[in-house]
Amino acid sequence: MRAGSQAMSRAGAAIEVRGLHVAYGGTKVLQDVDLDFAPGTFTALLGSSGCGKTTLLRALSGFVPIESGSIAVGGKDVAGLPPEKRGMAMVFQSYALWPHMTVLQNIGYGLKLRGVSKSDIAARVSSLLEMLGLAGYEDRKVTAMSGGQRQRVALGRALAIDPGILLLDEPLSNLDAKIRMTMRHEIRAIQQRLGVTTIHVTHDREEAMTMADRLVIMNAGHIAQIGTPEEVYDRPNSAFVANFMGAENVLPLHVAPGEGSAAITAGEARGVLAGQAGLELPAGEALAYFRDDVASLDAPDAAAGEDLVVPGRIAARSYPGGLYRYRVEAAGRQITVDHATRHEPGAAVGLRIPLSRLHIFPAAQASTPA
């Protein structure tokens, strides 16, 4: 079946989560979660350890009971159904393959439970192995396979039952970096080919951004932000999201809104952000979040132009390769900057930051991912 037609046939596979609460004992893990998953989309649940992302995935699949709320698939509430009745398949972090079984037996296990004939199972498994790049491995024991190959087998087992929804619980975390990069693209290509609604749990920001259509950032059992990778990366809606998405440098500012602009002060540095961006800034004490690659080093007295040039001093230098990495003391903070020019520790510099690349939030909103 072509991807387009298969995605259309699964129009009822969208998930609607409303008012979801999950608790372990007396500890609330998910609180009032509302979330929709459109048919055929690839969504990443992204967050630090303990944020609730894995609990949400397991609540969707039926492996964790909910305290209150609803989980609807195709308009039907499935919260009271066992996992096998929800039309979902999960790939676990540990793969959970049967070590005594062959590849064919592992992938075909779900079909066998459903009473599918041996010949049909063999045909289905053969087709999946071709798609997964494992053709001819039907009789191989999974214990004799590499981590990447076992990951493909686990994915094949999940896809064999033709699920409407595919759940991925950090399936790449046990692979080495090179194989992990390859598998990101392979899983994404398979998802697009089949048009299956996919929800992927990960703590890896780059993995989420390269694989998913949409990110759901989670923090302490709540949803912090939902959006495309570009939206969440370029336009974080809070200090927490900005910091989590890599804007780990923090600079204290004072913002004075004016007519059509805002005057920005950082220690001795002055700048003006004009236009709509200036009008949207918070007034008073604020914190600016920005990434290492946004700033550069200049002379302490360099003309600012449309940037903010904050006087500072080199506190430390390292060379990770390609660029020098500096720790710069500026405006009472330690700022990390990657720059091509070599500077000596102790040298006076100007920390040049484009005003348009700052994510500015009220100082009271200061937050760091757990």
Side-chain angles (χ1 to χ4, degrees):
M1 184 182 293
R2 292 181 294 115
S5 60
Q6 188 159 1
M8 289 178 64
S9 72
R10 289 180 172 140
I15 309 176
E16 298 176 0
V17 178
R18 295 292 180 268
L20 192 67
H21 289 260
V22 174
Y24 294 143
T27 304
K28 291 189 178 297
V29 183
L30 295 177
Q31 302 180 57
D32 201 26
V33 172
D34 291 333
L35 196 55
D36 290 338
F37 300 92
T41 56
F42 194 124
T43 301
L45 304 180
L46 179 63
S48 304
S49 178
C51 71
K53 59 186 185 297
T54 298
T55 297
L56 175 55
L57 192 78
R58 290 176 176 269
L60 295 176
S61 64
F63 289 106
V64 168
I66 69 172
E67 189 174 65
S68 61
S70 64
I71 302 170
V73 175
K76 177 185 177 182
D77 191 354
V78 300
L81 298 180
E84 65 273 15
K85 300 293 185 180
R86 297 193 180 196
M88 306 180 189
M90 180 179 284
V91 177
F92 296 92
Q93 183 176 354
S94 62
Y95 311 146
L97 298 172
W98 298 104
H100 63 285
M101 291 184 180
T102 65
V103 169
L104 188 153
Q105 290 169 331
N106 265 284
I107 294 180
Y109 187 73
L111 296 173
K112 180 180 178 181
L113 292 179
R114 287 162 173 78
V116 178
S117 68
K118 287 185 177 181
S119 60
D120 287 344
I121 290 175
R124 174 64 173 160
V125 171
S126 178
S127 175
L128 283 168
L129 291 179
E130 185 72 32
M131 181 177 64
L132 294 166
L134 292 175
Y137 281 73
E138 288 87 345
D139 298 324
R140 181 80 59 92
K141 286 288 184 67
V142 294
T143 51
M145 305 181 81
S146 69
Q149 290 172 329
R150 288 197 296 270
Q151 198 278 340
R152 290 182 177 92
V153 173
L155 182 60
R157 182 181 60 185
L159 294 173
I161 61 172
D162 196 25
I165 297 159
L166 178 65
L167 307 177
L168 306 174
D169 185 10
E170 300 201 56
L172 307 183
S173 61
N174 293 327
L175 303 177
D176 64 45
K178 186 175 181 180
I179 297 175
R180 192 160 61 242
M181 293 283 286
T182 300
M183 290 308 302
R184 287 176 187 174
H185 298 291
E186 290 189 5
I187 290 175
R188 176 59 169 157
I190 290 169
Q191 185 271 333
Q192 289 180 313
R193 176 179 173 181
L194 297 179
V196 59
T197 305
T198 302
I199 304 170
H200 179 198
V201 162
T202 181
H203 63 274
D204 188 312
R205 186 172 63 237
E206 182 180 335
E207 181 175 298
M209 292 185 65
T210 55
M211 295 178 72
D213 306 312
R214 185 182 65 152
L215 306 183
V216 176
I217 311 298
M218 298 192 65
N219 181 35
H222 296 275
I223 294 174
Q225 186 170 350
I226 302 171
T228 65
E230 294 86 354
E231 288 168 346
V232 176
Y233 188 85
D234 295 329
R235 296 184 294 281
N237 66 0
S238 68
F240 169 81
V241 175
N243 191 292
F244 184 81
M245 295 303 292
E248 297 177 353
N249 286 318
V250 185
L251 192 67
L253 303 176
H254 182 82
V255 180
E259 188 173 342
S261 65
I264 296 175
T265 306
E268 302 172 21
R270 304 286 186 275
V272 176
L273 192 57
Q276 191 66 29
L279 296 175
E280 295 174 351
L281 295 183
E285 300 305 313
L287 293 175
Y289 293 74
F290 60 98
R291 299 181 177 89
D292 299 356
D293 60 353
V294 166
S296 59
L297 299 181
D298 209 330
D301 58 353
E306 296 182 357
D307 302 330
L308 195 64
V309 179
V310 185
R313 191 169 298 277
I314 302 293
R317 181 193 68 217
S318 61
Y319 186 70
L323 297 169
Y324 292 98
R325 180 157 296 161
Y326 295 99
R327 295 292 289 173
V328 179
E329 294 180 353
R333 296 293 181 112
Q334 290 259 333
I335 305 297
T336 303
V337 181
D338 292 336
H339 196 65
T341 305
R342 181 186 174 93
H343 295 273
E344 297 302 320
V349 293
L351 183 66
R352 178 178 290 276
I353 316 166
L355 287 167
S356 61
R357 302 294 298 279
L358 296 175
H359 304 298
I360 302 174
F361 302 98
Q365 199 191 97
S367 178
T368 301

